[in-house]
Amino acid sequence: MQRILKRAGVVGLLFLYFILICTEKTRAEDRKEELRCIAFYSSVNGVNSTISYVTQSILENLGEEDAVSLSVYCLPSDLYESMDYKVKTAVAFDMDVMIVADIPEEADVDILRTLQDENIFVLAVDGHNSSYEQSASIGTGNRSAGVQAAQMIAERVGNQQAGMVATSFRNSKISGSRRERQVGFVEEAENHQNLQVKPECICSSDTLEAMQTVRKYLDENPGINVMYCLDSASGVTVSKVLAEQGRTEDVYVLCFDYTEQVRQEMQQGGIDAVIVQNPEKTGQECAEFLRKIVSGTDIEELIQAEITVPCKIIDLESAEDAGSE
């Protein structure tokens, strides 16, 4: 009898093991049949980050027949800047692909290891490639956009003394994409004798604090006649400060990202030109990239891919034709 019970126990364990194997196999097959993706964006002072428009374009370009599901989350600024929070969320929801603006250069080793262990592919949509192996970049070439901005400023008549302003959610560091825009601008400015660049000014995401910072920056650099703003938030802040000082005619303001607030400031004369990204085209490229992953394309062909989507500079005259770009 004991021998029979032991044999029954062994058979039961084998049966349970068989069920577990089948279950895990089914889960694996399900993951292959559907590519689970998650994206994060933020809204600062009611202005959505560019990645929100990119993810909207991805959804529009993915048809019902595509085996790709995309979940999009809006985060407050503190969580949006936390790579750790994003990774933990992606892991908790068993995601295959995480879509972010970029991966910080100083990303924690443990965070990158978690991404690697969980086999999560990261798609950065702000033109900034990462040291994380299983990643790719699709979006604006930020350094080349900075070069383009410097060339345009240098072509203006007379000597230009340019200030640089950026918004930081962490009050001390600016994102990789903004840094690339800065580097491209500074490098190109060295090729033009009539363009002098002042040290950067980093602003808080809080509007009142940012305006105070810009006032102080302008007071310390009275010769500035150009403000090169590395994002839309800083462009709006600079525009408002110049308006209250009655200097909108004296200082040329160029910023990134054609948001609704930027559009309003342009119409009021506070912002003269904007470097326009193309989130629609970026989203289209991302959708095609995700299709390649889910179709079984050799992942080695996609790792560290870098697809650049060109941007352009528009002024008030061409703003209406630019639409939501």
Side-chain angles (χ1 to χ4, degrees):
M1 179 64 69
Q2 290 181 349
R3 183 176 299 175
I4 293 174
L5 289 175
K6 288 182 179 179
R7 183 176 300 173
V10 171
V11 172
L13 288 173
L14 289 174
F15 179 75
L16 178 60
Y17 182 70
F18 175 75
I19 293 296
L20 290 173
I21 291 295
C22 291
T23 301
E24 288 302 318
K25 182 178 180 181
T26 301
R27 289 176 180 170
E29 289 174 349
D30 287 342
R31 282 197 292 268
K32 291 179 181 178
E33 292 174 358
E34 181 184 59
L35 189 71
R36 295 169 53 81
C37 308
I38 189 169
F40 303 93
Y41 75 96
S42 180
S43 179
V44 179
N45 299 327
V47 179
N48 291 340
S49 53
T50 302
I51 190 174
S52 68
Y53 302 107
V54 172
T55 52
Q56 179 180 342
S57 176
I58 294 174
L59 291 170
E60 292 173 351
N61 281 280
L62 288 174
E64 294 182 359
E65 72 281 1
D66 290 310
V68 179
S69 66
L70 174 60
S71 301
V72 184
Y73 293 89
C74 180
L75 302 177
S77 60
D78 56 338
L79 291 181
Y80 180 69
E81 287 294 305
S82 172
M83 191 67 177
D84 182 56
Y85 181 86
K86 295 175 186 176
V87 171
K88 287 180 178 178
T89 303
V91 171
F93 287 112
D94 192 28
M95 293 295 173
D96 303 303
V97 178
M98 186 172 71
I99 301 174
V100 295
D102 61 11
I103 302 180
E105 294 179 3
E106 69 278 10
D108 190 273
V109 174
D110 291 336
I111 294 176
L112 299 180
R113 184 179 296 111
T114 299
L115 287 170
Q116 187 72 45
D117 292 343
E118 297 294 332
N119 197 31
I120 297 176
F121 194 94
V122 178
L123 186 57
V125 297
D126 210 353
H128 184 68
N129 228 334
S130 165
S131 58
Y132 174 58
E133 183 177 355
Q134 284 190 226
S135 67
S137 171
I138 299 177
T140 303
N142 288 289
R143 184 175 296 216
S144 62
V147 170
Q148 187 178 2
Q151 291 173 341
M152 190 205 74
I153 294 299
E155 290 172 359
R156 298 180 70 242
V157 178
N159 292 323
Q160 311 300 330
Q161 192 173 118
M164 291 187 298
V165 187
T167 302
S168 172
F169 297 109
R170 290 169 288 183
N171 298 323
S172 60
K173 296 182 180 180
I174 59 177
S175 67
S177 58
R178 291 172 174 82
R179 184 65 65 189
E180 289 291 307
R181 296 167 187 173
Q182 178 195 41
V183 170
F185 187 85
V186 172
E187 289 180 346
E188 179 60 25
E190 294 177 353
N191 298 323
H192 303 275
Q193 293 183 350
N194 68 323
L195 180 54
Q196 178 186 2
V197 182
K198 291 295 184 178
E200 68 184 20
C201 170
I202 300 179
C203 296
S204 163
S205 59
D206 179 272
T207 302
L208 295 179
E209 291 183 10
M211 291 181 68
Q212 182 60 34
T213 301
V214 170
R215 292 189 195 101
K216 181 180 179 181
Y217 183 68
L218 290 172
D219 288 342
E220 294 174 348
N221 299 278
I224 284 179
N225 57 4
V226 171
M227 287 292 271
Y228 173 58
C229 306
L230 304 181
D231 49 79
S232 62
S234 61
V236 171
T237 297
V238 167
S239 176
K240 291 184 179 301
V241 170
L242 291 174
E244 71 177 16
Q245 295 180 350
R247 300 180 60 194
T248 55
E249 296 294 328
D250 303 327
V251 182
Y252 190 91
V253 179
L254 171 66
C255 77
F256 277 80
D257 297 339
Y258 193 48
T259 66
E260 182 58 34
Q261 283 191 331
V262 168
R263 185 199 302 269
Q264 293 175 6
E265 295 297 328
M266 289 185 72
Q267 291 175 344
Q268 295 171 13
I271 294 178
D272 299 279
V274 55
I275 301 177
V276 182
Q277 299 188 66
N278 193 336
E280 290 81 11
K281 177 63 174 175
T282 300
Q284 180 182 345
E285 293 286 354
C286 288
E288 184 60 33
F289 192 88
L290 295 174
R291 289 192 189 100
K292 290 181 180 179
I293 295 178
V294 79
S295 68
T297 301
D298 188 353
I299 194 67
E300 294 298 328
E301 298 179 11
L302 306 178
I303 285 177
Q304 291 294 299
E306 188 170 1
I307 301 173
T308 300
V309 178
C311 62
K312 60 182 179 179
I313 298 178
I314 61 173
D315 53 22
L316 185 59
E317 295 180 0
S318 58
E320 294 303 321
D321 297 330
S324 59
E325 292 184 350

